[in-house]
Amino acid sequence: MSESNLDKLIPTKHGWHVGFNKQFDGRWKPFGRPRARQLVEYVPLFMRYLRVWYKLKRAKRRAHMDFLNPIPLQQIYGAPIGGLGCGTIGRGFRGEFCRYQLVPGLYEFQVVEANTFTVCVRRRNMTTYCQVLTPHRLRKKGFRSWNAAFPVENGRYQALYPQSWTTYDLPGQKIRLLCKQLSPVIPHNYKDSSFPVASFLWYIENLNDEPVEVSLMLTWQAGSASQEFVCRDISHQTINAAQDDITAVGVTIQQVLREMNLEYCIMGKKEIDNTITTRTNFNVDSDTAGRDIWLDLTEDGRLTEPNTTIRPAGLYSASCVCITSTIAPKSIKTSEFALAWHMPRIKFGLGQKSYSKWYTKFFDKESLTGSTLCIYTMQHRTKWEEDIAKWQQPILDDQSLPDWYKSAIFNESYFIADGGTVWLDVSDDHTLPEHIRKWGRFGYLEGHEYRMVNTYDVHFYASFALIQLWPELELSIQFDFTNTITYEKLESRVYLYHGRASHWKTLHSVPHDLGDPDEEPWLLINAYISHDTADWKDLGLKYLLQVYRDYIYTKNTAFLNHVWPTIKYVTDRIKTQDVDGDGLVDNGGFADQTYDAWTVVGASAYCGGLHVAALRACVEMARIMGDTNAINEYEAWLSLAKKSYSEKLWNGKYYNYDSSASRHHDSIMSDQLAGFWYLRLSGHKYEDFEKERVESALNTIFNTNVMTFGGGKLGAVNGMTSSGQLEIVSMQSEEIWTGVTYGLSSTMIMENLKTQAFLTAEGIYNTCYNVAGLAFQTPEALMRDCRFRSVGYMRALCIWSIQKALELSRLEQENGQQTNSDDS
């Protein structure tokens, strides 16, 4: 075969590389049940949970946390498509269209085999090759005559989100294909980043000595990925659209999905020397209809609309768009497709309110169609590529960074769009703060399995992505939480852990989340019912720290002015959680923080460290606000808290897990420096945490929780005993939390432990992407016995704290060198 130039069209060597024939470790499974000794504590909770689960099942609704039916592991995923808050569609690295999130916040994990690309090759007016570009055999009746099962050894995939490149070597044809996939996920772009579109730019390379005609066909089915949601009023229609210098031909599929209008639009870009043909509607469950499509394509590399009456449309009807081009010998040519899924208005599960999606505000809402979005995609694709390169290139060009990190930092960003994300236009709601009306209301799930919007204790970690990439959306979330501080809901409900009734939302508490998308988020907050989180000890502290960090990063004085009155409310409530008057919150003898299955008593390394850091944040905010009384109050409180934290928890090497007399009180917790971490990434140094102690704790964690536990290959386990054994007092103590490991690694970077940091974090990336088959579905937790919990989880976005640490540490180093130079 002649030398190929196709691979040179991939603009970067970086990203996740995998062949179609990749086999992952088959031992990895979803977490099943805790150890027997751990299980006893949770039997009453589980019995109460069963009653809730069955009640929801009878109502034909999903539990917001379904412990009985964890999502089965599918080791198939690649980079998904779709912008922020518009719904997303997953892609498999072998070309599957899978994991649909079209109904807001609700995922369907099926593969839709009809949604696929097919290639047809003709030489001298004869079809010599026709192949569906998927390595799977198609099971639907309509596809029995289609030539599927593309040879896995001939396909390669590379992902650097939000782009991916798939290469196909057509066996025996001397033809290579490259599909470049792109959705406009572009930091600091608050328009195009919200669009429900994807571009598929195909490069066709002819290595023959004669011209060949190549047709590429995109097939798309009506409905969604399953039949869980009612889909009605389906219709298919051929469309031609043009604007400026772009002309496109395709098919639109109109339907009503769960009482929301949804339009799919697939279009091919018309060029002077290509031909675009369509088949508006065929039945994928019909042998005859499917065979007719295949024979039509193989006959002349084109599709022909039948002259019969319009076929009835339904859940099994699909459409095809085919682009046919002639490629000269030893040359490359392109064919360009665009896909849009246009659902302009949405309702959540209870249907109490209807919202416009954010992207609709940039068009005339009455005339906006899927074809408008497809044409826009074709017009702006090149600009999107340039903008993505400007964002990514400085990191990719940094010779000091390992290649795995350059893949991880961008590929883990998938969750900002594919986290059940919604971005709503609420500009007409004058009850909301101006910032939310201007920038939209934004929400994303705790995880694909844990269906709660903007879960705050987890967002504490994940928010390092938003505050750096789309800071106005981070502030929008903060404004929403600020509004909840003075809200209370006195209606009682039973919480599962203790089995006691308590208020839905307590005055001046920070809520756990802003609701369940299968209910009514923002109207019904606090969907989480395992604990009464008004009693949690971390939420208020995390609110104070996030507010401070967000101000430091944005310098948005209007934001701080708006939030400041709630700081006093929250700190006053925190005072009531200090039982013994030592200046620190006291954990209540149950799992009353983000580690919600790991009991903690009294002063603790985690919450105590957050408390010290939060008080420093309050002092600094009071100074900015010029509030002398607040400065005096918080400084005195901080002095007492620091003294107690040191005396009660420091053991000479690290901070004890808690101040109780239990035999687990001196466990080594990997997240014990969370408070210091937040201050450090907000520009502070060692005002409140001694440098020597930080270094000692980090070295202890690295040596024990990282190296002794897993040899550096699994990240950092949450807990180890003081004797260097795995802490198994709780299922969560023996888990490795992906996002916590990333946060720990960023702390190490700030303390000049860069080698240890990258070794620690690489264990997470390599396990998820290259071993366990968890790419683009990074879970909350991994375990040493090849178990994982809660796939597709928010906290892994904490990887962006590593990037912040790299930038800050470099700045500190430069400033230090400048200071030394000035002194000399």
Side-chain angles (χ1 to χ4, degrees), residues 30-103:
F31 175 77
R33 62 181 180 183
R35 297 171 186 265
R37 69 174 68 179
Q38 300 166 358
L39 194 59
V40 174
E41 179 183 2
Y42 294 101
V43 170
L45 179 152
F46 185 69
M47 298 308 293
R48 288 186 282 268
Y49 172 80
L50 277 179
R51 290 196 290 271
V52 173
W53 189 89
Y54 278 113
K55 181 180 178 181
L56 289 169
K57 184 177 182 181
R58 286 194 298 270
K60 296 184 178 180
R61 290 179 51 210
R62 304 180 183 183
H64 69 272
M65 299 172 74
D66 193 343
F67 301 120
L68 299 183
N69 299 294
I71 296 170
L73 175 59
Q74 297 190 78
Q75 297 169 319
I76 65 172
Y77 293 116
I81 54 176
L84 277 62
C86 58
T88 48
I89 298 172
R91 291 297 311 279
F93 68 84
R94 299 183 181 98
E96 306 94 331
F97 285 88
C98 45
R99 198 171 71 197
Y100 288 61
Q101 191 261 136
L102 299 175
V103 174

Side-chain angles (χ1 to χ4, degrees), residues 673-721:
L673 294 175
F676 170 76
W677 165 60
Y678 238 71
L679 283 185
R680 198 73 175 88
L681 291 185
S682 299
H684 289 263
K685 292 193 176 179
Y686 309 103
E687 304 96 322
D688 306 294
F689 298 85
E690 296 92 329
K691 179 178 175 62
E692 296 75 16
R693 292 186 176 184
V694 169
E695 290 176 347
S696 177
L698 285 174
N699 282 317
T700 300
I701 293 166
F702 178 75
N703 292 331
T704 311
N705 299 55
V706 178
M707 298 306 296
T708 299
F709 167 72
K713 297 186 181 301
L714 278 171
V717 71
N718 287 341
M720 292 285 280
T721 68

Side-chain angles (χ1 to χ4, degrees), residues 295-366:
L295 294 176
D296 187 16
L297 178 65
T298 56
E299 181 182 7
D300 60 1
R302 292 161 175 76
L303 298 173
T304 307
E305 294 285 4
N307 294 321
T308 57
T309 57
I310 296 176
R311 290 176 168 81
L315 286 176
Y316 296 108
S317 57
S319 301
C320 306
V321 175
C322 180
I323 303 177
T324 303
S325 304
T326 299
I327 297 87
K330 310 291 196 256
S331 67
I332 298 174
K333 198 169 185 179
T334 61
S335 291
E336 184 173 354
F337 292 88
L339 165 68
W341 50 102
H342 174 43
M343 183 183 277
R345 291 189 65 81
I346 63 167
K347 294 181 290 187
F348 295 107
L350 298 183
Q352 295 179 6
K353 192 171 181 179
S354 178
Y355 299 89
S356 290
K357 286 186 178 176
W358 179 254
Y359 73 86
T360 64
K361 78 189 304 288
F362 301 105
F363 302 90
D364 175 61
K365 293 184 179 182
E366 297 301 318

Side-chain angles (χ1 to χ4, degrees), residues 298-545:
T298 56
E299 181 182 7
D300 60 1
R302 292 161 175 76
L303 298 173
T304 307
E305 294 285 4
N307 294 321
T308 57
T309 57
I310 296 176
R311 290 176 168 81
L315 286 176
Y316 296 108
S317 57
S319 301
C320 306
V321 175
C322 180
I323 303 177
T324 303
S325 304
T326 299
I327 297 87
K330 310 291 196 256
S331 67
I332 298 174
K333 198 169 185 179
T334 61
S335 291
E336 184 173 354
F337 292 88
L339 165 68
W341 50 102
H342 174 43
M343 183 183 277
R345 291 189 65 81
I346 63 167
K347 294 181 290 187
F348 295 107
L350 298 183
Q352 295 179 6
K353 192 171 181 179
S354 178
Y355 299 89
S356 290
K357 286 186 178 176
W358 179 254
Y359 73 86
T360 64
K361 78 189 304 288
F362 301 105
F363 302 90
D364 175 61
K365 293 184 179 182
E366 297 301 318
S367 61
L368 177 60
T369 64
S371 62
T372 308
L373 294 169
C374 285
I375 291 290
Y376 189 94
T377 298
M378 294 173 183
Q379 289 175 320
H380 291 84
R381 173 185 53 79
T382 302
K383 178 67 164 57
W384 293 343
E385 292 171 353
E386 293 170 354
D387 290 345
I388 291 168
K390 288 177 185 176
W391 165 38
Q392 296 183 340
Q393 213 59 48
I395 294 175
L396 301 181
D397 289 343
D398 189 336
Q399 301 278 328
S400 70
L401 300 177
D403 284 349
W404 73 262
Y405 174 76
K406 296 173 183 179
S407 171
I409 186 69
F410 296 115
N411 285 332
E412 292 285 28
S413 303
Y414 84 96
F415 194 84
I416 302 175
D418 193 18
T421 311
V422 290
W423 190 356
L424 308 174
D425 177 11
V426 290
S427 54
D428 293 335
D429 187 346
H430 294 281
T431 66
L432 297 175
E434 180 183 355
H435 185 96
I436 299 177
R437 287 188 281 118
K438 180 178 180 181
W439 297 102
R441 174 165 262 172
F442 186 82
Y444 62 152
L445 299 181
E446 181 177 334
H448 294 169
E449 293 191 81
Y450 292 2
R451 202 182 59 242
M452 293 160 285
V453 172
N454 295 342
T455 298
Y456 203 72
D457 58 299
V458 185
H459 178 67
F460 175 76
Y461 298 83
S463 59
F464 277 99
L466 276 182
I467 192 60
Q468 293 177 82
L469 303 178
W470 289 273
E472 304 298 351
L473 296 183
E474 164 63 12
L475 293 186
S476 181
I477 291 175
Q478 292 285 58
F479 274 103
D480 261 329
F481 272 92
T482 296
N483 280 359
T484 69
I485 303 300
T486 55
Y487 168 75
E488 64 179 339
K489 185 174 183 179
L490 299 180
E491 179 182 338
S492 290
R493 59 181 179 176
V494 174
Y495 290 93
L496 300 180
Y497 184 82
H498 289 113
R500 295 194 294 263
S502 189
H503 293 162
W504 198 298
K505 166 64 171 69
T506 301
L507 184 67
H508 296 165
S509 66
V510 176
H512 173 273
D513 59 82
L514 296 181
D516 173 0
D518 204 26
E519 292 180 344
E520 203 63 54
W522 289 283
L523 299 182
L524 292 176
I525 64 174
N526 268 342
Y528 180 82
I529 58 171
S530 295
H531 298 275
D532 178 5
T533 56
D535 293 332
W536 275 19
K537 307 309 185 295
D538 64 337
L539 287 170
L541 303 171
K542 289 174 174 176
Y543 177 74
L544 302 173
L545 281 166

Side-chain angles (χ1 to χ4, degrees), residues 555-672:
K555 301 300 181 185
N556 188 320
T557 54
F559 165 67
L560 188 58
N561 287 333
H562 180 87
V563 170
W564 180 244
T566 67
I567 301 299
K568 177 68 172 172
Y569 296 142
V570 172
T571 53
D572 283 350
R573 178 165 176 78
I574 288 170
K575 285 180 182 177
T576 69
Q577 297 177 329
D578 176 9
V579 177
D580 56 8
D582 66 350
L584 293 175
V585 292
D586 291 291
N587 292 99
F590 66 102
D592 53 356
Q593 24 71 45
T594 196
Y595 297 88
D596 58 353
W598 192 358
T599 297
V600 59
V601 179
S604 66
Y606 183 69
C607 289
L610 289 174
H611 197 166
V612 169
L615 289 172
R616 169 58 63 189
C618 288
V619 169
E620 299 303 325
M621 286 188 287
R623 286 176 178 159
I624 295 165
M625 297 301 297
D627 190 332
T628 304
N629 291 335
I631 294 171
N632 294 335
E633 175 188 353
Y634 295 138
E635 281 186 335
W637 190 357
L638 173 60
S639 179
L640 177 60
K642 286 163 63 174
K643 181 174 182 292
S644 299
Y645 190 63
S646 176
E647 292 176 353
K648 291 192 170 186
L649 295 164
W650 181 252
N651 66 17
K653 290 182 62 180
Y654 59 92
Y655 292 97
N656 286 336
Y657 178 68
D658 66 22
S659 60
S660 71
S662 79
R663 60 193 179 96
H664 307 287
H665 78 280
D666 59 353
S667 296
I668 306 167
M669 187 187 198
S670 65
D671 208 8
Q672 63 185 268

